[in-house]
């Protein structure tokens, strides 16, 4: 599904990713772990198309098609979703209105009519239920004044609404208490199926107790220095990152 | 001939054109006004209040103050500028001349009619003598120019204890069918004790000719009256407006003026508010969204003269291309005006690289027990927010529009007429060149 080959990328001429190779197939969950500054968030931003970052070399393809020339919204229309480490507050736009705009933008790109209001509301209700979201958040300005946990839950709510092919969860566990973590992880698990894939980016192994990865990759200094199964996460938890360097 | 000389020469002809009662007190006011204009002339950038707005680009044309009287405006041409979907009173002028055909006025629950009638009919003489030209600034040459040439506009006189359910639409169309035209509309609005009124005002050029509108509105809000005034300015690039709104408020009254400026070559809004009593509330709000080389200047003065009054000002501006804006908000708190609450906020986003804003809050506070604040922000579109929205599939143009809409939403929410609110949503979408509904 997603194929990254020899990716070198960075910001303002400075190289952060130094040759990433990654293959993700439908139905898989990949965890990317690594210490601070290893390039985890850069990788997620580059896949999602943040234009602040430059690509120096390499390629990223989705279903065999190069996506590096696509804008972030075009990538979203093709099914890529990034759950932000620090979701942005947008005062004046309610969560409901925002997600409606997003869904209808995607439908428009696919040549479909706007989703009828009734269907939209039904879907919003179901997905909010799935994430045990307090409905009052839906009519509040997007992320404005939300706690860290509420923001992350809102990210996964949006993911549930948009039903991406490839979801990238960037440090989704940070700011979540254990109950919220379970709810969010449960939501992610319920959304998994044989056709979609998930990349979980995390510093700690904690989240991976709830979202069980098929593969774990260790990112260090802009390179994947080790890949393995889910047991690698436990090993990292026990030994830290130093033994790999 | 310079425009000033031409206007002075036109004044004699204007008075001789009839229609105006030469014996009335108004005649004396006109004479004084034209003398005042002759003495002061058009303001230049040397005048502190006009430092950032030059009238030169719009004064170089050969405006006539005598429009051609035969215009062919039909309802279908102008319907889109009305709030036609709701019940309302309508006072419509075309090239400065009242169109009874397009209007829907009344004398039943209140006088919703025209100034020329009020100036002529003996039954209104006392009202005219009492209110007309009583609160305009005599230091403002353009207000004086308007007084000199004023003969038409809305006359709204609401007796006490009257709640006018239907909003009043005051619409000025210009066809400029012959040449460059200068209009001096004059509105007089008196709202009696405990009465409520909502007014929507719009000036619209329908043709390719150049229009300069120099409009004066005097509003008198008596005790506990509530006045909600909406100005929608979305004119063509060949039309400019200098608008003066003078408001006198009595005890316990609430006056709100909401100004939405989305178009026009040059727009200058002067709002002067005078408090004459305690427990008065004044709300001045505005959104400006302009582009190209358009220029908007919002100048407000609120005179707090009595105790326990409050004023709230919120002006937001979005400037694209090389559009420029000015916000000058003056709040004067007299030493008698203890317990005054006066708040002022002006937020701006510069979208265009060459766009600019000059913001100047001025607080002159002579009382010691007051709460006054002012704030001003100038920012750009947040790139992280744009990426966030794009990552959810919202294209960049729509993402920017949504952000800008959200920025202005606080002001739009103050609009109390739902039909007008959705009209403004539509205008903003049009302005931001997106096809999306902002409403929820």
């Amino acid at each position: 599904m997603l194929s990254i080959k020899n990716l070198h990328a960075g910001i303002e001429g400075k190289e952060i990713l130094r040759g990433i190779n990654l293959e993700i197939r439908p139905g898989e969950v990949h965890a990317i772990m690594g210490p601070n500054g290893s390039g985890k968030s850069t990788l997620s931003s580059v896949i999602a198309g943040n234009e602040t970052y430059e690509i120096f070399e390499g390629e990223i393809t989705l279903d065999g098609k190069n996506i590096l020339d696509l804008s972030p919204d075009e990538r979203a229309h093709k099914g890529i979703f990034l759950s932000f480490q620090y979701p942005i507050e947008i005062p004046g736009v309610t969560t409901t209105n925002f997600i409606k705009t997003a869904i209808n933008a995607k439908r428009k790109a696919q040549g479909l009519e706007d989703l009828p209001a009734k269907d939209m509301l039904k879907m919003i209700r179901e997905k909010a239920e799935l994430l045990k979201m307090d409905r009052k958040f839906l009519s509040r300005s997007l992320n404005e004044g939300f706690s860290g946990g509420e923001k992350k839950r809102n990210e996964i709510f949006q993911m549930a609404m948009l039903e991406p092919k490839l979801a990238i969860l960037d440090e989704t566990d940070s700011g979540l208490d254990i109950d919220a973590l379970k709810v969010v992880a449960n939501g992610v698990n319920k959304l998994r199926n044989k056709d979609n894939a998930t990349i979980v980016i995390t510093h700690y192994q904690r989240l991976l107790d709830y979202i069980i990865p098929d593969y774990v990759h260790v990112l260090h200094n802009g390179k994947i220095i080790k890949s393995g199964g889910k047991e690698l996460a436990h090993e990292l938890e026990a030994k830290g990152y130093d033994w790999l360097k | 001939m310079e425009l000033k000389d031409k206007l002075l020469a036109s004044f004699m002809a204007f008075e001789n054109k009839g229609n105006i009662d030469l014996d009335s007190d108004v005649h004396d006011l006109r004479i004084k006004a034209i003398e005042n204009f002759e003495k002061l002339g058009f303001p230049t950038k040397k005048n502190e209040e006009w430092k950032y707005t030059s009238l030169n680009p719009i004064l170089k044309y050969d405006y006539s103050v005598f429009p051609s009287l035969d215009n062919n405006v039909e309802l279908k041409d102008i319907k889109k500028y009305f709030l036609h979907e709701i019940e309302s009173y309508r006072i419509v002028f075309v090239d400065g001349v009242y169109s009874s055909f397009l209007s829907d006025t009344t004398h039943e629950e209140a006088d919703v009619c025209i100034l020329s009638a009020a100036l002529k009919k003996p039954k209104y003489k006392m009202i005219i003598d009492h209110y007309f030209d009583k609160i305009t600034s005599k230091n403002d040459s353009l207000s004086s120019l308007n007084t000199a040439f004023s003969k038409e506009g809305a006359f709204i006189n609401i007796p006490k204890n009257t709640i006018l359910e239907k909003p009043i639409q005051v619409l000025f169309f210009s066809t400029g069918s012959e040449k460059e035209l200068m209009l001096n509309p004059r509105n007089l609005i008196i709202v009696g004790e405990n009465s409520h009124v909502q007014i929507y005002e719009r000036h619209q050029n329908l043709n390719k000719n150049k229009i300069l509108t120099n409009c004066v509105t005097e509003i008198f809000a008596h005790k506990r009256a509530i006045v909600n005034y909406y100005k929608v300015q979305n004119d063509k690039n060949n039309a400019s407006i200098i608008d003066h709104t003078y408001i006198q408020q009595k005890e316990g009254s609430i006056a709100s003026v909401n100004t939405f400026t989305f178009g026009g070559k040059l727009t200058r809004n002067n709002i002067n508010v005078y408090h004459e009593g305690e427990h008065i509330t004044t709300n001045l709000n505005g959104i400006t969204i302009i582009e190209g080389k358009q220029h908007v200047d919002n100048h407000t003065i609120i005179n707090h003269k009595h105790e326990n009054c409050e004023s709230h000002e919120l002006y937001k501006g979005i400037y694209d291309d090389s559009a420029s804006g000015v916000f000058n908000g003056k709040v004067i708190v007299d030493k008698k005006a203890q317990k005054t609450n006066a708040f002022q906020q002006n937020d701006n986003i510069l979208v265009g690289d060459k766009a600019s804003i000059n913001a100047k809050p001025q607080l002159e506070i002579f009382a010691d027990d007051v709460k006054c604040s002012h704030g001003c922000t100038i920012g750009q579109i947040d790139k992280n927010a744009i990426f966030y929205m794009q990552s959810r599939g919202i294209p960049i143009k729509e993402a920017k529009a949504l952000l800008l809409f959200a920025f202005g939403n606080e002001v739009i929410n103050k609009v109390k007429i739902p039909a007008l609110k959705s009209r403004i949503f539509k205008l903003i979408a049009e302005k931001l060149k997106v096809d999306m509904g902002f409403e929820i």
Side-chain angles (χ1 to χ4, degrees), chain A residues 48-50 72-73 76-77 81-84 88 90-94 97-98 101-102 105 142-143 155 158 162, chain B residues 382-385 387-396 398 402-403 405-407 409 435-440:
Chain A
N50 190 337
D73 46 300
H77 298 156
F81 177 89
L82 171 61
S83 165
F84 278 50
I88 312 289
I90 305 181
V93 179
T94 63
N97 202 20
F98 179 70
T101 308
L142 186 67
N143 292 327
E155 293 290 279
Q158 292 179 40
L162 292 164
Chain B
D382 180 355
K383 279 194 184 133
N384 288 326
F387 172 58
Y388 183 76
M389 296 170 115
Q390 279 188 286
S391 80
R392 304 298 138 96
I394 301 175
I396 188 156
E398 278 77 10
L402 200 56
L403 269 192
F405 165 76
F407 169 77
N409 199 22
D435 175 24
M436 62 197 289
F438 291 117
E439 279 177 280
I440 298 149

Side-chain angles (χ1 to χ4, degrees), chain B residues 193-208:
Chain B
E193 281 181 30
N194 304 316
S195 293
H196 297 188
V197 65
Q198 307 183 87
I199 299 170
Y200 161 65
E201 178 191 330
R202 188 158 178 177
H203 301 258
Q204 186 67 42
N205 185 14
L206 303 170
N207 217 321
K208 291 196 207 86

Side-chain angles (χ1 to χ4, degrees), chain B residues 2-220:
Chain B
E2 289 265 318
L3 182 59
K4 181 184 170 186
D5 298 328
K6 181 174 180 183
L7 289 168
L8 293 172
S10 298
F11 181 70
M12 291 304 289
F14 174 80
E15 284 244 299
N16 290 334
K17 280 223 165 188
N19 283 339
I20 290 163
D21 183 357
L22 292 178
D23 297 327
S24 77
D25 295 350
V26 174
H27 175 70
D28 295 339
L29 290 174
R30 281 187 216 292
I31 300 289
K32 278 192 195 127
I34 197 73
E35 285 170 1
N36 201 37
F37 172 70
E38 184 174 12
K39 191 178 79 190
L40 297 172
F42 284 108
T44 65
K45 291 183 92 171
K46 285 182 198 145
N47 180 333
E48 185 64 26
E49 300 305 321
W50 290 85
K51 196 171 169 185
Y52 300 108
T53 297
S54 170
L55 290 177
N56 290 338
I58 57 168
L59 294 182
K60 63 184 180 197
Y61 301 108
D62 188 28
Y63 297 105
S64 163
V65 290
F66 304 111
S68 127
L69 295 180
D70 52 339
N71 46 64
N72 280 317
V73 174
E74 287 176 50
L75 188 63
K76 65 173 174 49
D77 303 330
I78 54 172
K79 203 176 165 196
K80 66 173 178 176
Y81 304 110
F82 295 2
L83 301 174
H84 51 79
E85 57 276 55
I86 54 167
E87 292 260 302
S88 68
Y89 294 116
R90 266 197 330 256
I91 316 175
V92 181
F93 304 92
V94 179
D95 292 337
V97 179
Y98 174 62
S99 165
S100 59
F101 168 64
L102 298 167
S103 299
D104 186 356
T105 59
T106 186
H107 290 288
E108 281 170 26
E109 46 181 343
D111 293 309
V112 177
C113 58
I114 54 172
L115 186 70
S116 60
L119 288 174
K120 259 182 276 180
K121 289 185 186 165
K123 72 167 176 173
Y124 294 119
K125 186 172 188 314
M126 266 179 66
I127 294 173
I128 294 294
D129 287 349
H130 193 73
Y131 294 104
F132 184 78
D133 205 37
K134 291 298 178 284
I135 51 173
T136 56
S137 166
K138 304 302 178 277
N139 296 320
D140 183 66
S141 64
L142 292 160
S143 295
S144 293
L145 180 64
N146 176 285
T147 301
F149 286 100
S150 62
K151 69 171 183 191
E152 197 56 291
F155 174 70
I156 298 168
N157 179 32
I158 300 168
K160 63 182 178 184
N161 304 323
T162 305
I163 294 174
L164 226 54
E165 300 281 348
K166 294 192 210 172
I168 300 171
Q169 305 192 50
V170 183
L171 305 153
F172 298 91
F173 296 100
S174 44
T175 62
S177 45
E178 283 174 354
K179 48 178 132 180
E180 293 132 352
L181 185 64
M182 180 177 189
L183 294 166
N184 286 285
R186 179 68 168 237
N187 304 314
L188 179 59
I189 296 159
I190 302 141
V191 187
E193 281 181 30
N194 304 316
S195 293
H196 297 188
V197 65
Q198 307 183 87
I199 299 170
Y200 161 65
E201 178 191 330
R202 188 158 178 177
H203 301 258
Q204 186 67 42
N205 185 14
L206 303 170
N207 217 321
K208 291 196 207 86
N209 302 39
K210 296 199 169 49
I211 297 290
L212 172 58
T213 300
N214 177 45
C215 184
V216 170
T217 302
E218 290 179 280
I219 302 172
F220 296 85

Side-chain angles (χ1 to χ4, degrees), chain A residues 178-212:
Chain A
I178 193 70
D179 293 328
L181 181 74
K182 282 183 191 163
V183 171
V184 165
N186 182 42
V188 172
N189 288 330
K190 283 201 176 141
L191 297 169
R192 286 178 62 179
N193 61 41
K194 63 175 175 40
D195 298 320
N196 64 21
T198 311
I199 300 176
V200 182
I201 291 178
T202 184
H203 191 98
Y204 303 102
Q205 173 266 340
R206 188 177 73 147
L207 180 65
L208 305 179
D209 287 342
Y210 301 96
I211 303 172
I212 314 287

